[in-house]
């Protein structure tokens, strides 16, 4: 089916077509502007492709408008021709302005690209700086020396840039370092109170006024501050690492076995070298085991839960146990447990000491105590027998002595007139010997009570004791016994 449009209907259709192609013309111009302002193209080829596409669309739109203009002339519409020409002129002016903006953006593109490249270089430098820091093998002087060289390389003029990092009074300089009047400075500070600085200098000459004026970019200033902050953190990390290494050395060198335990299931989280050597496991093997597999008293979920809850309530505990080595041998230990909370994480710190020798000494001591107890029982039995014997002896000997003494006294009284001097002296000696024998028996009784009855102390004149001893000897007349000098008086127990 074919529709025939004539007269005013043709004019309306061409008017609408003119308006439509004018909109296309405007969209072409906006496409080129957005391609630049929104960085539609990330590369130079992408930008050129967007510009050429917009230009082709623009040319096609203008060509179509001119064709419509000729169509209007065919129908003799002067008024519409004038409007179209005015619209074309206005669009042409707009395109000229868009073209000028496009030229400005194209002129700025190399500068923006350089800035982006410099920022990428700075990011790459910060990444290398972070990779050079290994907490297990952190060497602060090496990090500072490498940073001075790497920082010099990322500046816009690395051949003329010099860097010096000073920390704790020690300088670390880049190769060919020279101090000049043109430089930057950033302070390095740490929480431990140590401080330092980063200095960046640019070698210039008298005629290099532009370089002196704009020696360093804003990005380089920001980079320097960032590096100073990073180095401060690295220095703090180095100090913490040094302290941890020193502490680890003390723990590993300790005579005690150190364990860090997860309270949930009793899994070993860390151990020291002494524990590994004594138990016969490697560190990796021990970290795959629980404390219950080492100490049988804590083996089993029920036993561990009960013991853990008690430790959480008290905070610390000391207990004796038996540890089992990898070889199956066992040894006695005394372990000090402590509950430690660090933020939301709980730990159990256990320090165990091998008490095998102490247990052996305790068993030996117990045996000696038992032997001493039995010996004391024997001594007490002997003392009782001695006491009983002393009483028997004193009783059995006392009666004859009393009779001898009495008989001697009677003889001395009844036969005094009949005895000569020698007989009287012998009778006197007999009575004296009977009295001494009586004192000896009394001494035996006192000796049997020794250790059972506390006797008061008395003073004894050794001169009198010596005289009594000489009389008891009853030496013959041709022997003389003499004591040279004066003997002391001593305090004794009766």
């Amino acid at each position: 089916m074919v529709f025939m449009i004539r007269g005013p209907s043709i004019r309306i259709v061409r008017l609408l077509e003119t308006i439509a192609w004018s909109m296309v013309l405007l969209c072409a111009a906006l496409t080129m502007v957005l391609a630049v302002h929104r960085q539609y193209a990330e590369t130079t080829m992408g930008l050129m492709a967007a510009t050429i596409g917009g230009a082709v669309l623009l040319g096609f739109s203008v060509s179509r408008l001119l064709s419509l203009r000729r169509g209007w002339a065919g129908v003799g519409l002067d008024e519409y021709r004038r409007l179209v020409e005015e619209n074309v002129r206005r669009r042409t002016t707009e395109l000229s302005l868009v073209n000028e903006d496009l030229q400005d953006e194209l002129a700025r593109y190399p500068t923006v690209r350089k800035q982006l490249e410099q920022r990428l270089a700075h990011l790459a430098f910060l990444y290398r700086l972070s990779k050079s820091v290994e907490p297990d093998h952190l060497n602060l002087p090496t990090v500072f020396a490498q940073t001075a060289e790497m920082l010099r390389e990322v500046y816009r003029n690395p051949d003329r840039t010099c860097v010096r990092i000073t920390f704790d009074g020690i300088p670390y300089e880049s190769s060919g370092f020279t101090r000049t009047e043109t430089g930057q400075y950033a302070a390095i500070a740490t929480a431990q109170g140590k401080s330092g600085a980063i200095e960046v200098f640019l070698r210039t000459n008298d005629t290099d006024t532009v370089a002196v004026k704009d020696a360093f970019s804003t990005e380089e200033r920001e980079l320097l501050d960032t590096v100073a902050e990073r180095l401060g953190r690295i220095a703090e990390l180095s100090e913490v690492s040094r302290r941890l290494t020193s502490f680890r050395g003390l723990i590993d060198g300790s005579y005690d076995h150190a364990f860090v335990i997860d309270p949930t299931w009793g899994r070993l989280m860390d151990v020291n070298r002494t524990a590994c050597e004594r138990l016969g496991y490697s560190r990796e093997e021990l970290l795959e085991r629980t404390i219950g597999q080492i100490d049988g008293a804590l083996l089993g979920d029920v036993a561990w839960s009960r013991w853990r809850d008690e430790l959480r309530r008290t905070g610390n505990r000391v207990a004796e146990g038996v540890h089992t080595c990898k070889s199956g041998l066992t040894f006695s230990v005394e372990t000090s447990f402590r509950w430690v909370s660090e933020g939301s994480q709980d730990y159990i710190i256990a320090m165990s000491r091998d008490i095998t020798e102490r247990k052996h000494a305790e068993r030996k001591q117990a045996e000696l105590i038992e032997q001493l107890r039995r010996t004391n029982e024997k001594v007490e039995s002997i003392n009782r027998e001695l006491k009983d014997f002393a009483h028997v002896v004193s009783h059995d000997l006392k009666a004859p002595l009393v009779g001898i003494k009495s008989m001697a006294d009677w003889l001395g009284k009844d036969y005094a007139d009949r005895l000569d001097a020698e007989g009287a002296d012998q009778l006197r000696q007999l009575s004296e010997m009977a009295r001494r024998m009586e004192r000896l028996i009394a001494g035996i009784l006192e000796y049997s009570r020794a250790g059972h009855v506390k006797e008061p102390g008395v003073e004894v004149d050794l001169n009198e004791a010596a005289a009594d001893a000489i009389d008891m000897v009853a030496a013959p007349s041709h022997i003389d016994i003499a004591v040279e000098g004066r003997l002391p008086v001593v305090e004794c127990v009766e």
Side-chain angles (χ1 to χ4, degrees), residues 146-352:
Q146 292 178 350
T147 302
E149 291 293 341
M150 290 191 298
L151 184 59
R152 180 180 66 86
E153 293 296 332
V154 298
Y155 269 69
R156 290 178 299 173
N157 302 294
D159 295 338
R160 296 191 297 166
T161 302
C162 303
V163 179
R164 177 169 63 190
I165 300 175
T166 305
F167 186 80
D168 203 17
I170 302 175
Y172 305 90
E173 300 175 347
S174 63
S175 57
F177 176 81
T178 303
R179 183 185 178 91
T180 65
E181 297 297 327
T182 305
Q184 284 182 310
Y185 173 89
I188 302 174
T190 65
Q192 290 84 12
K194 295 182 179 181
S195 60
I198 305 178
E199 300 170 286
V200 180
F201 298 100
L202 183 66
R203 292 193 294 268
T204 60
N205 50 49
D206 297 336
T207 59
D208 198 1
T209 56
V210 176
V212 173
K213 181 180 179 181
D214 302 321
F216 304 104
S217 65
T218 304
E219 291 79 8
E220 291 172 342
R221 173 74 256 180
E222 294 174 353
L223 175 65
L224 188 63
D225 293 337
T226 302
V227 173
E229 181 183 359
R230 293 281 181 90
L231 291 181
R233 293 180 182 177
I234 291 173
E236 293 176 357
L237 179 62
S238 174
E239 180 65 18
V240 172
S241 177
R242 185 190 65 80
R243 292 182 180 180
L244 286 176
T245 302
S246 177
F247 179 73
R248 184 76 193 190
L250 292 175
I251 293 298
D252 283 339
S254 172
Y255 179 76
D256 296 335
H257 315 152
F259 304 91
V260 180
I261 308 169
D262 181 3
T264 306
W265 303 110
R267 183 177 59 84
L268 297 178
M269 302 174 66
D270 197 5
V271 294
N272 68 342
R273 186 172 59 244
T274 305
C276 297
E277 293 175 352
R278 186 66 179 89
L279 295 170
Y281 291 96
S282 66
R283 185 172 182 273
E284 290 73 18
E285 289 174 332
L286 278 178
L287 296 185
E288 295 177 355
R289 306 179 74 81
T290 64
I291 188 64
Q293 293 174 303
I294 303 300
D295 191 337
L298 303 177
L299 185 62
D301 296 341
V302 176
W304 171 252
S305 299
R306 186 185 303 113
W307 187 91
R308 176 198 59 201
D309 295 341
E310 178 67 18
L311 179 63
R312 181 191 287 116
R313 186 181 63 82
T314 58
N316 55 74
R317 186 176 180 181
V318 178
E320 291 186 2
V322 177
H323 282 186
T324 304
C325 300
K326 185 177 181 180
S327 62
L329 297 177
T330 60
F331 60 95
S332 300
V333 295
E334 182 182 69
T335 306
S336 174
F337 297 92
R338 188 173 186 85
W339 190 280
V340 177
S341 297
E342 184 69 27
S344 60
Q345 182 66 43
D346 294 331
Y347 305 93
I348 296 176
I349 306 299
M351 299 296 291
S352 299

Side-chain angles (χ1 to χ4, degrees), residues 111-166:
T111 303
V112 173
R113 182 176 180 179
K114 278 188 176 182
Q115 291 176 349
L116 290 175
E117 290 176 350
Q118 189 174 22
R119 286 189 177 275
L120 288 174
H122 292 176
L123 291 174
F125 161 72
L126 294 175
Y127 175 75
R128 292 198 305 271
L129 178 60
S130 64
K131 291 293 289 182
S132 65
V133 179
E134 298 180 1
D136 294 337
H137 306 86
L138 182 56
N139 190 323
L140 202 58
T142 302
V143 172
F144 285 151
Q146 292 178 350
T147 302
E149 291 293 341
M150 290 191 298
L151 184 59
R152 180 180 66 86
E153 293 296 332
V154 298
Y155 269 69
R156 290 178 299 173
N157 302 294
D159 295 338
R160 296 191 297 166
T161 302
C162 303
V163 179
R164 177 169 63 190
I165 300 175
T166 305

Side-chain angles (χ1 to χ4, degrees), residues 380-418:
E380 290 177 359
S381 177
I382 292 173
N383 285 337
R384 285 193 299 269
E385 293 176 358
L386 179 61
K387 184 178 180 181
D388 295 340
F389 174 75
H391 281 285
V392 171
V393 169
S394 64
H395 181 272
D396 292 345
L397 293 180
K398 232 176 185 183
L401 282 176
V402 171
I404 293 172
K405 182 182 177 185
S406 299
M407 184 64 68
D409 291 339
W410 293 342
L411 288 174
K413 291 178 181 179
D414 295 342
Y415 295 96
D417 53 346
R418 299 179 185 180

